[in-house]
């Protein structure tokens, strides 16, 4: 039965580019009569996702109900950033009736769930559910999860073997924490890819999970809101292979999520004459420099609208999202995310802007 004294929180996880912001926008526009509040946790310092969402503000979710944590990881800054943010939302008048937390694509969900055990908020908040988005095409192609069958066979043969990558570990933790999986971009994966993705998720999940295919973030909110999962009371059912490595030293970082695995760089780009030129640059950069994710916006010569840019690997999508403000500088800004060793700011800037690497 619902606890009427607690505000439900839905945690939305999912790998880089899986469609979290698109889903949040859909929920904002279909709030089921509830007053929503949003917490966006960005990887990197630029508030792109928060900016996108604030441009969608509606009476049931005004801009002041949308808060950003631009530090890349809620789980490491619980006391300093996350708790005060939740308390600030709870102090709003009128108070939100449901809070959505869009985590960074590299965030581990379980430390965040443990944060809801903090005495200051435990009596006022309950985790309604953890939604994990999975990009069907990317998972089917094996970009996030390793070859599950082969790895399982090798593990059974030799316990010392560990064929994980940072990407697959984050993906597994997101799946293992979830109450429901939303499979995004099923059209790009095709029926065979969707079937393959469902097999991979079933192999990773610690318990049977519902998997729902979703296109463009459009899903009946009733499927994912009102789950009453009370995830903060359900930790043992949500295993993570990041928590048992260095709990022994009493360190309050009870996970082994090495943020040095990933890095981001912010590139300011001048006006572009043609979106296709920028797309081609991003595609080439993704292939030659192993870039995971690009997101941000650009100014296009002669166009009054800002161009929103979202790329997952070499798959680039763009759309005009809103007019430039009268006092805004018409300059683009892109966040580029990759594994740490692949982030070369000079090379990335050169690939996007024609500024030679030697100019760094």
């Amino acid at each position: 039965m619902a606890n009427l004294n607690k505000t439900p929180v839905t945690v939305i996880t999912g790998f880089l580019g899986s469609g979290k912001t698109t889903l949040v926008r859909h929920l904002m526009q279909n709030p089921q009569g509830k007053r929503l509040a949003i917490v966006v946790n960005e990887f990197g310092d630029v508030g792109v996702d928060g900016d996108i969402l604030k441009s969608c503000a509606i009476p049931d979710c005004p801009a002041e109900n949308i808060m950003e944590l631009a530090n890349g990881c809620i789980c490491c800054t619980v006391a300093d950033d996350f708790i005060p943010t939740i308390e600030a939302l709870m102090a709003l008048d009128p108070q939100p009736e449901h809070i959505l937390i869009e985590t960074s694509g590299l965030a581990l969900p379980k430390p965040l769930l443990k944060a809801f055990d903090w005495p200051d908020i435990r009596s006022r908040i309950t985790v309604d559910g953890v939604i994990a988005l999975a990009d069907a095409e990317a998972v089917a192609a094996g970009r996030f999860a390793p070859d599950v069958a082969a790895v399982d066979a090798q593990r059974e043969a030799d316990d010392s073997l560990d064929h994980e990558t940072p990407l697959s570990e984050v993906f597994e933790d997101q799946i293992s924490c979830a109450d429901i999986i939303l499979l995004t971009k099923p059209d790009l994966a095709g029926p065979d890819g969707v079937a393959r993705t469902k097999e991979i998720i079933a192999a990773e999940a610690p318990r049977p999970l519902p998997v729902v295919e979703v296109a463009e973030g459009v899903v009946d909110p009733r499927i994912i809101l009102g789950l009453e999962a009370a995830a903060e009371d359900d930790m043992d059912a949500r295993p993570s292979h990041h928590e048992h490595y260095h709990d022994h030293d009493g360190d309050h970082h009870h996970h082994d999520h090495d943020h040095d695995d990933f890095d981001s760089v912010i590139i300011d780009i001048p006006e572009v004459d043609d979106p296709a030129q920028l797309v081609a640059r991003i595609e080439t950069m993704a292939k030659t420099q192993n870039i995971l994710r690009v997101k941000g916006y650009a100014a296009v010569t002669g166009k009054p609208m800002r161009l929103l840019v979202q790329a997952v690997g070499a798959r680039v999508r763009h759309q005009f999202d809103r007019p430039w403000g009268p006092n805004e500088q018409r300059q683009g800004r892109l966040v580029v995310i990759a594994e740490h060793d692949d982030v070369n700011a000079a090379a990335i800037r050169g690939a996007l802007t024609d500024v030679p690497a030697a100019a760094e």
Side-chain angles (χ1 to χ4, degrees):
M1 194 174 92
N3 184 333
L4 299 178
N5 298 319
K6 292 190 177 185
T7 300
V9 173
T10 297
V11 177
I12 298 172
T13 74
F15 211 72
L16 298 158
S18 58
K20 295 184 298 297
T21 303
T22 303
L23 175 68
V24 172
R25 288 171 74 173
H26 175 70
L27 292 173
M28 285 172 65
Q29 289 152 10
N30 300 273
Q32 306 292 293
K34 293 186 171 74
R35 269 192 315 282
L36 293 182
I38 318 285
V39 178
V40 188
N41 185 212
E42 308 245 24
F43 187 82
D45 301 319
V46 62
V48 172
D49 289 348
D51 193 32
I52 293 168
L53 293 173
K54 284 177 181 173
S55 69
C56 308
I58 56 173
D60 278 326
C61 188
E64 61 267 23
N65 284 31
I66 302 168
M67 297 197 175
E68 297 168 74
L69 297 174
N71 55 45
C73 185
I74 288 176
C75 61
C76 292
T77 59
V78 166
D80 295 337
D81 291 344
F82 178 63
I83 301 293
T85 297
I86 293 294
E87 289 179 332
L89 286 177
M90 297 299 288
L92 289 171
D93 185 12
Q95 192 170 305
E97 295 170 311
H98 201 113
I99 299 172
L100 305 178
I101 299 179
E102 179 193 332
T103 65
S104 144
L106 301 173
L108 300 173
K110 190 160 182 182
L112 171 58
L113 297 185
K114 288 184 175 179
F116 287 99
D117 246 349
W118 276 60
D120 292 350
I121 60 171
R122 184 177 171 83
S123 61
R124 303 159 68 194
I125 296 280
T126 181
V127 180
D128 182 64
V130 181
I131 316 302
L133 276 68
D135 177 329
E137 185 194 38
V139 177
R143 291 209 293 274
F144 302 153
D147 183 329
V148 176
V151 171
D152 283 349
Q154 286 173 316
R155 277 192 184 137
E156 284 171 19
D158 183 352
D159 284 342
S160 67
L161 280 178
D162 186 359
H163 294 265
E164 300 288 2
T165 67
L167 306 190
S168 65
E169 287 192 356
V170 172
F171 174 75
E172 283 181 37
D173 273 19
Q174 291 174 348
I175 295 299
S176 71
C177 239
D179 295 297
I180 186 169
I181 310 290
L182 300 185
L183 216 51
T184 61
K185 305 171 190 171
D187 50 324
L188 296 175
D192 291 346
V194 167
R196 168 79 180 134
T197 298
K198 288 180 176 177
E199 286 175 11
I200 291 171
I201 289 170
E204 300 288 9
R207 59 195 187 283
L209 290 174
V211 178
V212 178
E213 293 177 40
V214 177
E216 296 296 335
V218 177
V219 61
D220 186 332
R222 292 171 298 182
I223 294 175
I224 57 175
L225 302 182
L227 300 180
E228 297 180 18
E232 68 274 22
D233 298 328
D234 186 28
M235 286 294 126
D236 292 342
R238 299 164 192 265
S240 159
H241 45 109
H242 288 98
E243 60 195 325
H244 45 253
Y245 290 133
H246 59 237
D247 232 4
H248 54 83
D249 58 5
D251 187 342
H252 71 278
H253 277 167
H254 39 220
H255 57 89
D256 194 32
H257 178 28
D258 186 354
H259 296 286
D260 293 339
D261 289 340
F262 303 98
D263 206 353
S264 67
V265 63
I266 299 165
I267 306 294
D268 288 327
I269 58 172
E271 264 193 27
V272 297
D273 294 329
D274 179 1
Q277 295 171 344
L278 182 59
V279 168
R281 286 172 179 270
I282 292 172
E283 289 173 345
T284 301
M285 178 184 69
K287 291 171 184 170
T288 58
Q289 300 186 47
N290 297 320
I291 301 301
L292 289 172
R293 183 85 165 95
V294 179
K295 61 181 180 178
Y297 44 86
V300 181
T301 304
K303 300 287 186 184
M305 301 281 281
R306 188 179 73 166
L307 186 74
L308 200 61
V309 180
Q310 302 262 24
V312 182
R315 193 171 77 223
V316 185
R317 299 180 64 182
H318 56 87
Q319 67 191 71
F320 290 102
D321 73 328
R322 67 165 175 81
W324 288 95
N327 299 317
E328 266 186 305
Q329 185 179 0
R330 287 177 57 96
Q331 177 172 289
R333 172 165 280 197
L334 298 175
V335 185
V336 180
I337 302 172
E339 291 195 47
H340 178 77
D341 292 346
D342 292 322
V343 174
N344 178 325
I348 289 168
R349 182 171 285 108
L352 292 174
T353 65
D354 270 341
V355 175
E360 279 290 298

